């Protein structure tokens, strides 16, 4: 990227979340990811530079160890000319959804340059072929069992299902999503199918579909947009059934979506060959009762073979869902068990503020930091070291609970010889695929009190609203 040649006309608005805004390049397969700030809360350009580096280091040295080489992509921090940034910021402003505009794009001079994951990464030479990418933000896939939990309901109904009630009440979404992360993470094909169908029907911000890098389905905003399943099926029809003269209509939509869900399930359960370093850590056991949520709309009676539904996770050890779930489960104490440890550290820092850097609370996120994450013991000896280890594990878990999985599919022609592991067979055609994880930002230490308050707010609201229903 040559600074003197930066032309805002080659970049267009791609999407944004709560913390960052993304623009994509029209020709090369890269995106720029900018930080966002509330007006007048901007950081200095040095602070932004440091923060972006921390995010990348956290992805590279920490999250990659948990999630595996193949799934996590590298980026770099780039310096950009200020006049380019000003023009770009103006250019994209009108495309930003209103609900996201309370924060502004950072124009202090630095951004992250990342591969555009809505274009197939593994096979860049196939760029001219159609490509569909499906982004799923799965959220937390297990029920916590920590002894510190004071509200019994948390051990029965998952966070996502409870949070729905608050989101609807606050008007964030109009309709309840019947998606439950525990169905997706179950490894049971019927439950996964049910979860993915519900994600398609009420995507909220948990599912997006891109065609050739452009958003064609899912919420750009918190309002319903692009949400016509018939239209989505229409886009996908010739992709999945190239030779078949499927007529449009209800039956066609059903067939196409079934095919999409089948392929997504296959990819999500696909074993990756790479070895994540954290693979050497003892896996966190997924005990009975942690894999089924009573808030789920899935009826177990629906299961064809109902024997081992609610027992083990059934996720193959190398698949992306398994790895994501293992990282999420580093939250072993739950926020209720963690918050007192945060207060312990805060009290200590009041007395010894200079110790903050030795505790590595703000990084550096390197090998040493990773080594300190490995201790999974839950025996609290009252030490600061124990508290810090649990806090850092919690931050990794929170990142894994908030990341997105991007699955890209492009047609594979019969005569081509690809590594068979990258080919996914549909019923009428084959696809090469790639899977990546994005949004691996570290969650700040300072966020813990906020998380604690939010947890009780979600639970209290849930209990209140089900009492009102009775
Ligand atoms: P959140 O509010 O979920 O924490 P965020 O502010 O951290 O979001 P991201 O999720 O990283 O922001 O980016 C916003 C959106 O931009 C993503 O949902 C995705 O659609 C798109 N995006 C981000 N990074 C990439 C990438 N490398 N390639 C393609 N699209 C991307
Ligand atoms: Zn649930
Ligand atoms: Mg995101
Ligand atoms: Mg994020």
């Amino acid at each position: 990227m040559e600074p003197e040649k930066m032309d805002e006309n080659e970049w267009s608005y791609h999407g944004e979340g709560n913390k960052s805004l993304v623009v994509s390049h029209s020709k090369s397969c890269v995106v720029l990811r900018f930080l966002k700030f509330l007006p007048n809360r901007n950081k200095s350009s040095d602070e932004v530079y440091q923060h972006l580096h921390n995010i990348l280091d956290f992805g590279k040295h920490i999250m990659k160890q948990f999630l595996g080489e193949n799934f996590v992509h590298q980026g770099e921090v780039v310096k950009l000319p200020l006049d380019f940034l000003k023009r770009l910021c103006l250019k994209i402003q009108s495309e930003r959804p209103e609900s996201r505009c309370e924060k502004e794009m950072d124009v202090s001079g630095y951004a992250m340059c990342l591969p555009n994951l809505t274009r197939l990464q593994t096979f860049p030479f196939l760029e001219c072929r159609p490509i569909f990418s499906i982004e799923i933000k799965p959220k937390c896939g297990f029920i916590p069992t920590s002894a510190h939990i004071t509200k019994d309901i948390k051990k029965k109904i998952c966070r996502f299902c409870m949070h729905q009630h608050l989101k609807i009440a606050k008007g964030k979404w109009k309709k309840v999503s019947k998606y439950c992360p525990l169905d997706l993470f179950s490894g049971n094909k019927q439950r996964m199918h049910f979860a993915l169908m519900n994600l398609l029907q009420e995507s909220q911000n948990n599912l997006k579909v891109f065609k050739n890098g452009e958003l064609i389905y899912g919420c750009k905003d918190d309002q319903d947009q692009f949400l016509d399943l018939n239209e989505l099926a229409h886009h996908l029809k010739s992709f999945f059934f190239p030779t078949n003269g499927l007529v449009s209509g209800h039956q066609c939509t059903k067939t196409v979506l079934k095919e999409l869900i089948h392929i997504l399930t296959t990819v999500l359960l696909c074993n990756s060959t790479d070895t994540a370093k954290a693979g050497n850590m003892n896996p966190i056991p997924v005990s009975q009762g942690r894999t089924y949520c009573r808030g789920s709309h899935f009826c177990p009676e629906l299961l064809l073979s109902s024997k081992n539904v609610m027992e083990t996770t059934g996720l193959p050890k190398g698949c992306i869902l398994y790895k994501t779930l293992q990282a999420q489960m580093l939250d072993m104490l739950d926020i209720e068990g963690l918050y007192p440890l945060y207060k312990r550290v805060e009290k200590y820092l009041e007395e010894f503020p200079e110790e903050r850097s030795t505790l590595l609370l703000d990084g550096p996120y390197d090998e040493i930091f990773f080594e300190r994450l490995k201790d999974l013991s839950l025996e609290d000896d009252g030490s600061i070291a124990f508290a810090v280890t649990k806090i850092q594990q919690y931050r990794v878990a929170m990142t894994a609970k908030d990341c997105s999985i991007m699955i890209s599919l492009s047609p594979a022609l019969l005569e081509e010889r690809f590594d068979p592991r990258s080919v996914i067979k549909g019923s009428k055609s084959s696809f090469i695929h790639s899977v990546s994880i994005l949004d691996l930002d570290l969650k700040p230490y300072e966020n813990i009190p906020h998380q604690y308050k939010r947890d009780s707010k979600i639970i209290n609201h849930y209990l209140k609203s089900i009492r009102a229903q009775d």
Side-chain angles (χ1 to χ4, degrees), residues 143 157-162 179-182 293-296:
I143 298 267
I157 300 191
C158 84
R159 167 67 168 254
F160 182 92
C161 289
M162 282 200 270
Y179 166 70
C180 169
L182 275 74
C293 160
R294 291 201 212 165
S296 167

Side-chain angles (χ1 to χ4, degrees), residues 14 17-20 22 33 115-117 135 137 208 439:
H14 182 72
N18 187 33
K19 291 277 173 62
S20 50
V22 179
R33 186 172 184 254
N116 185 341
L117 300 173
E135 179 182 341
K137 188 172 181 170
K208 292 179 196 167
D439 198 357

Side-chain angles (χ1 to χ4, degrees), residues 413-450:
L413 303 180
L414 274 180
E415 64 275 15
E416 287 168 330
R417 285 170 190 274
F418 291 109
D419 179 347
R421 280 169 304 189
S422 66
V423 177
I424 296 284
K425 275 202 167 26
S427 54
K428 288 287 184 296
S429 45
S430 295
F431 304 92
I432 26 173
H433 80 286
S434 74
V435 187
S436 349
I437 304 189
L438 53 103
D439 198 357
L440 292 176
D441 292 5
L442 67 164
K443 301 292 165 188
Y445 164 78
E446 286 75 18
N447 246 6
I448 291 171
H450 172 72

Side-chain angles (χ1 to χ4, degrees), residues 141-145 281-291 311-313 317 322 325-326 328-332 376 378:
F142 69 93
I143 298 267
T145 49
M281 278 162 78
N282 287 333
I284 302 170
V286 189
S287 55
Q288 273 195 27
R290 304 191 74 175
T291 58
E311 289 163 16
T312 53
T313 64
K317 290 225 156 60
Y322 180 84
L325 188 61
Q326 283 286 311
Q328 292 182 350
M329 289 174 91
L330 284 175
D331 169 11
M332 287 178 286
L376 298 180
L378 288 174

Side-chain angles (χ1 to χ4, degrees), residues 58 87 105 118 204 259 301 344 352 365 384 404 406:
F58 191 71
R87 289 193 303 263
M105 169 182 153
T118 60
Q204 299 188 348
E259 179 79 355
E301 297 83 57
R344 183 188 300 171
F352 309 102
Y365 303 101
I384 293 298
S404 299
M406 186 80 85

